């Protein structure tokens, strides 16, 4: 158990259902249930101490603290529940978590199941490949390449290959660690994922000197925090909190602290300017 400002952050197993409107339940129970990805560093992951870490959990902690203030609560338990690619949006829709704090790209298809906050990050699908190789899809035709299963990157890769009338031997891995291991072993010639995730993978790889991440992306993807559809009051509370984080410069500080040495791209810098909403 550890404390962030006026809130207590704890880990828990997935259990129970939400009841009533989210803000009413948070006020009554003194708990806000936050879902987070354990395998999407540096955006959302489980650190060496078994604690939720990364950009998105830090943003959610700031949101929880602000929501507590909006509700007049002196203390709020912000409980983090681990979720994975397959069940994360179901957990939101079923009321098992109040807010999803993973690396979740905002898409129209996903908005049929959940709602999203004001964008909190901008990323894009890129490729990890041997140093010196051409980071072009046409150069990967007929080659073995990999991607994380169940992600928007997998969908984008499939659509890009189809649009360019290219064929490749694509393996969908169950985790980024498996994809990195396949790259290090030479079993695949390229691995596609969000650019931020690829840089994190490269940083921890024993074969980092022989690998590189492309500086171009296949997509530009806005990421946000997901919550149950139709809960307008909770949406306003969350967006108010995010707007405050942007306006105060806290979002920029979270980026610097969770991604040391990284430089925000043009899209992310622009979002820091235009995201705050007038109170």
């Amino acid at each position: 158990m550890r404390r962030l400002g006026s809130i207590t952050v704890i880990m828990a197993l997935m259990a129970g259902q939400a009841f009533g409107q989210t803000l009413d339940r948070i006020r009554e129970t003194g708990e806000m249930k936050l879902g987070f990805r354990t395998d999407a560093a540096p955006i959302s992951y489980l650190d060496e101490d078994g604690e939720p870490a990364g950009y998105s959990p830090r943003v959610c902690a700031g949101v929880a603290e602000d929501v507590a203030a909006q509700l007049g609560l002196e203390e709020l338990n912000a409980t983090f529940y681990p979720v994975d690619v397959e069940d994360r949006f179901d957990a939101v829709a079923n009321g098992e978590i109040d807010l999803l704090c993973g690396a979740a790209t905002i898409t129209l298809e996903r908005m049929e199941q959940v709602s999203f906050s004001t964008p909190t990050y901008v990323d894009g699908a890129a490729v990890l490949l041997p140093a010196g190789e051409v980071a072009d899809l046409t150069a990967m035709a007929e080659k073995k390449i990999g991607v994380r299963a169940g992600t928007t990157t997998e969908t984008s890769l499939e659509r890009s290959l189809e649009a360019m009338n290219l064929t490749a031997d694509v393996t969908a891995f169950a985790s980024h660690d498996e994809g990195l291991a396949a790259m290090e072993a030479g079993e695949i010639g390229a691995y596609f994922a969000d650019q931020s995730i690829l840089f994190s993978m490269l940083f921890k790889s024993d074969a980092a000197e022989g690998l590189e991440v492309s500086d171009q992306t296949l997509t530009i993807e806005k990421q946000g925090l997901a919550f149950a559809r139709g809960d307008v009051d909770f949406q306003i509370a969350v967006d108010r909190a995010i707007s405050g984080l942007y306006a105060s410069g806290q979002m920029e500080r979270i980026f610097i602290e969770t991604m040391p040495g990284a430089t925000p791209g043009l899209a992310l810098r622009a979002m820091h300017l235009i995201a705050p909403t007038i109170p």
Side-chain angles (χ1 to χ4, degrees):
M1 184 177 294
R2 58 194 177 94
R3 298 185 65 82
L4 289 175
S6 63
I7 63 172
T8 301
V9 178
I10 60 177
M11 279 282 292
L13 297 176
M14 190 73 70
Q17 297 272 330
F19 60 91
Q21 291 297 298
T22 307
L23 289 180
D24 291 338
R25 187 196 57 74
I26 291 173
R27 185 184 289 109
E28 292 173 6
T29 65
E31 179 192 24
M32 187 169 176
K33 299 183 288 186
L34 309 174
F36 80 106
R37 286 272 300 280
T38 61
D39 63 343
I43 303 299
S44 178
Y45 62 101
L46 200 64
D47 68 15
E48 295 178 353
D49 297 322
E51 297 284 349
Y55 180 87
S56 247
R58 284 284 301 277
V59 170
C60 272
V63 168
E65 189 168 354
D66 191 279
V67 168
Q70 293 180 47
L71 296 177
L73 300 176
E74 293 185 0
E75 186 171 295
L76 175 67
N77 287 333
T79 311
F80 280 91
Y81 295 81
V83 296
D84 58 35
V85 169
E86 288 74 23
D87 69 9
R88 51 182 169 164
F89 296 112
D90 289 336
V92 174
N94 295 337
E96 295 170 348
I97 57 176
D98 300 320
L99 202 59
L100 175 62
C101 311
T105 298
I106 301 170
T107 70
L108 292 174
E109 182 178 3
R110 289 172 175 176
M111 289 171 69
E112 295 177 354
Q113 184 177 9
V114 299
S115 291
F116 285 93
S117 69
T118 295
T120 56
Y121 191 70
V122 178
D123 211 337
V127 58
L128 177 69
L129 71 172
E133 293 286 337
V134 179
D136 189 289
L137 279 181
T138 56
M140 300 176 193
E142 308 301 333
K143 292 185 178 180
K144 292 184 178 181
I145 59 179
V147 67
R148 174 70 159 90
T151 62
T152 54
T153 302
E154 181 184 22
T155 303
S156 298
L157 178 60
E158 292 173 351
R159 290 174 178 172
S160 296
L161 290 170
E162 182 178 357
M164 298 175 69
N165 197 28
L166 298 174
T167 301
D169 185 358
V170 181
T171 299
F173 291 93
S175 71
H176 291 304
D177 285 341
E178 289 183 13
L180 178 59
M183 276 293 299
E184 293 172 336
E187 296 172 0
I188 56 175
Y191 184 76
F192 289 81
D194 287 346
Q195 193 175 53
S196 61
I197 293 175
L198 291 178
F199 276 117
S200 179
M201 292 169 61
L202 181 64
F203 178 77
K204 69 178 182 180
S205 173
D206 293 333
E209 292 184 359
L211 301 172
E212 63 184 20
V213 177
S214 64
D215 57 2
Q216 296 182 341
T217 60
L218 293 175
T219 59
I220 297 178
E221 302 180 18
K222 297 178 294 183
Q223 296 181 0
L225 311 180
F227 49 89
R229 291 184 65 188
D231 197 338
V232 178
D233 290 339
F234 186 57
Q235 178 176 359
I236 293 173
V238 169
D239 283 346
R240 179 178 287 117
I242 292 173
S243 183
L245 292 175
Y246 275 119
S248 67
Q250 183 63 16
M251 291 290 273
E252 185 175 1
R253 289 192 289 274
I254 291 174
F255 176 88
I256 293 171
E257 291 170 2
T258 58
M259 304 184 201
T263 301
L266 178 61
L268 187 59
R269 295 199 304 271
M271 193 169 69
H272 283 183
L273 293 175
I274 66 177
T277 303
I278 297 174

